[in-house]
């Protein structure tokens, strides 16, 4: 085993080789956390999140880090089956049972995407190192107002690569976690834009009227559009902001790393949603469904 190989390290990874740590001091060899650069980066992200529910850190990866991440993803993309399916916005077959025919929760939407799940992503990759790095976790926590954030215990979710091939798209949906961190690795020629409706729902308020208007294309003013470039990192309040990825055009596949953190340890995704999104579950999901408490914010999923 080569001593030059760097693995995901929750005890203190140095990220100078893959992150522009001068702009984003999340793991530089010279420190920097709690310094002026840290305060500026956190402050800018917090302001964007408060106003738009989304903060974009342009050029988060260094050129060398981006090139490495691109090589790594390209080498494992063939492992991800591309699936064409339809579902409601909650990606759950049980969310629309017994509802009126015109209820927006019954609307079926199309997606054509693939996923590389956490068990398919090697621990020496750029994405795995970023996900485990304590400086990244601390930065994300500071931006979303959490004293501490935790990696998922989910053996499939948490660290994922979402793959949208040419002609593919990801329909309107909500995330199960309050916030999600994404990293654009492979940028498409055209399309593949993030469209989202900031704060469309909130704790205890599903806002089905607003949901219906967006799904029926009756609320264009509620929709914001964001274009990410390769190497950009984004923090997004996806549990409360309905969002989708528009159809990818051209010849290049859109590949985005998804770093999912939670405000408590031990989080494992729901069985129905996991099966719907990834096409499989593990024993950990089945046990969590049997013994773990449900979300307490009053939302569907």
């Amino acid at each position: 085993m080569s001593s030059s190989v760097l693995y995901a390290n929750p005890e203190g990874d140095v990220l100078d080789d893959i992150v522009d740590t001068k702009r984003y001091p999340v793991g530089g060899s010279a420190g920097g956390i709690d310094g002026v650069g840290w305060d500026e980066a956190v402050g800018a992200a917090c302001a964007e999140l408060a106003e738009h529910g989304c903060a974009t850190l342009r050029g988060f990866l260094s050129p060398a880090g981006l090139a490495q991440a691109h090589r790594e993803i390209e080498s494992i993309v063939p492992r991800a089956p591309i699936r064409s399916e339809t579902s409601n916005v909650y990606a759950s077959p049980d969310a629309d049972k017994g509802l009126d025919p015109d209820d927006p929760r019954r609307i079926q939407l199309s997606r054509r995407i693939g996923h590389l799940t956490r068990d398919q992503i090697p621990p020496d990759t750029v994405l795995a190192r970023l996900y485990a790095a304590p400086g990244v976790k601390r930065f994300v926590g500071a931006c979303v107002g959490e004293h501490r954030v935790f990696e998922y215990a989910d053996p499939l979710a948490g660290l994922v690569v979402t793959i949208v091939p040419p002609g593919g798209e990801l329909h309107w949906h909500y995330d199960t976690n309050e916030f999600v961190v994404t990293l654009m690795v492979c940028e498409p020629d055209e399309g593949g834009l993030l469209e989202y409706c900031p704060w469309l729902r909130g704790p205890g308020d599903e806002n089905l009227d607003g949901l219906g208007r967006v799904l029926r294309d009756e609320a264009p003013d509620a929709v914001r559009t964001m274009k990410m470039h390769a190497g950009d990192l984004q923090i997004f309040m996806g549990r409360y902001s309905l969002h989708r990825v528009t159809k990818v055009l051209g010849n290049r596949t859109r590949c985005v790393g998804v770093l999912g953190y939670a405000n408590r340890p031990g989080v494992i995704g729901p069985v129905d949603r996991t099966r719907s999104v990834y096409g499989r579950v593990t024993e950990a999901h089945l046990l969590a469904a049997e013994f773990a408490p449900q979300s307490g914010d009053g939302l569907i999923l």
Side-chain angles (χ1 to χ4, degrees), residues 12-261:
D13 201 4
V14 175
L15 305 176
D16 297 86
D17 58 319
I18 56 175
V19 174
D20 184 349
T21 53
K22 292 182 179 179
R23 295 176 62 191
Y24 307 109
V26 296
S29 56
I33 292 178
D34 295 329
V36 174
W38 172 273
D39 291 340
E40 289 179 351
V42 170
C46 286
E48 282 193 62
L49 284 168
E51 184 173 1
H52 303 301
C54 181
T56 303
L57 284 64
R58 301 291 185 188
F60 181 82
L61 286 186
S62 66
L66 176 58
Q68 180 182 337
H70 192 277
R71 289 194 304 269
E72 293 166 346
I73 296 304
E74 288 283 292
S75 70
I76 57 178
V77 159
R79 302 178 190 174
I82 303 300
R83 303 165 62 212
S84 298
E85 298 174 311
T86 60
S87 75
N88 52 44
V89 295
Y90 307 103
S92 171
D94 295 329
D96 57 7
K97 287 184 177 178
L99 301 177
D100 293 336
D102 60 349
D103 192 298
R105 290 171 289 184
R106 292 181 62 94
I107 296 175
Q108 295 294 299
L109 304 163
S110 298
R111 65 177 181 264
R112 182 169 180 264
I113 59 173
H115 292 96
L116 290 164
T117 50
R118 188 173 187 178
D119 57 348
Q120 297 174 295
I121 301 172
D124 60 341
T125 56
V126 167
L127 288 178
R129 288 178 58 199
L130 288 176
Y131 186 54
V136 173
K137 294 174 189 173
R138 189 172 176 184
F139 182 82
V140 171
C143 292
V144 300
E146 295 286 350
H147 174 68
R148 185 178 179 184
V149 300
F150 302 86
E151 297 176 36
Y152 272 34
D154 194 308
L156 300 183
L159 180 61
V160 173
V161 178
T162 300
I163 300 162
V164 188
E169 60 188 319
L170 177 55
H171 63 57
W172 288 113
H173 65 286
Y174 292 109
D175 295 331
T176 54
N177 196 31
E178 286 189 19
F179 56 90
V180 68
V181 181
T182 57
L183 180 71
M184 177 68 77
V185 178
C186 306
E187 186 178 346
D189 292 323
E190 295 182 69
L193 302 176
L194 173 68
E195 291 188 343
Y196 71 103
C197 305
W199 316 114
L200 188 68
R201 70 175 184 176
D205 179 16
E206 200 66 49
N207 188 12
L208 295 180
D209 179 64
L211 174 64
R213 287 188 289 110
V214 173
L215 297 186
R216 293 189 293 266
D217 296 322
E218 297 172 355
D221 292 343
V223 179
R224 290 180 55 86
T225 301
M226 174 64 67
K227 179 176 177 59
M228 290 180 70
H229 299 287
D232 291 350
L233 185 107
Q234 194 169 77
I235 304 174
F236 179 61
M237 307 305 289
R239 182 160 179 78
Y240 305 126
S241 301
L242 189 72
H243 55 288
R244 69 177 176 182
V245 175
T246 63
K247 184 170 293 188
V248 167
L249 306 175
N251 298 315
R252 291 194 295 181
T253 294
R254 180 187 194 268
C255 299
V256 171
V258 182
L259 287 64
Y261 299 105

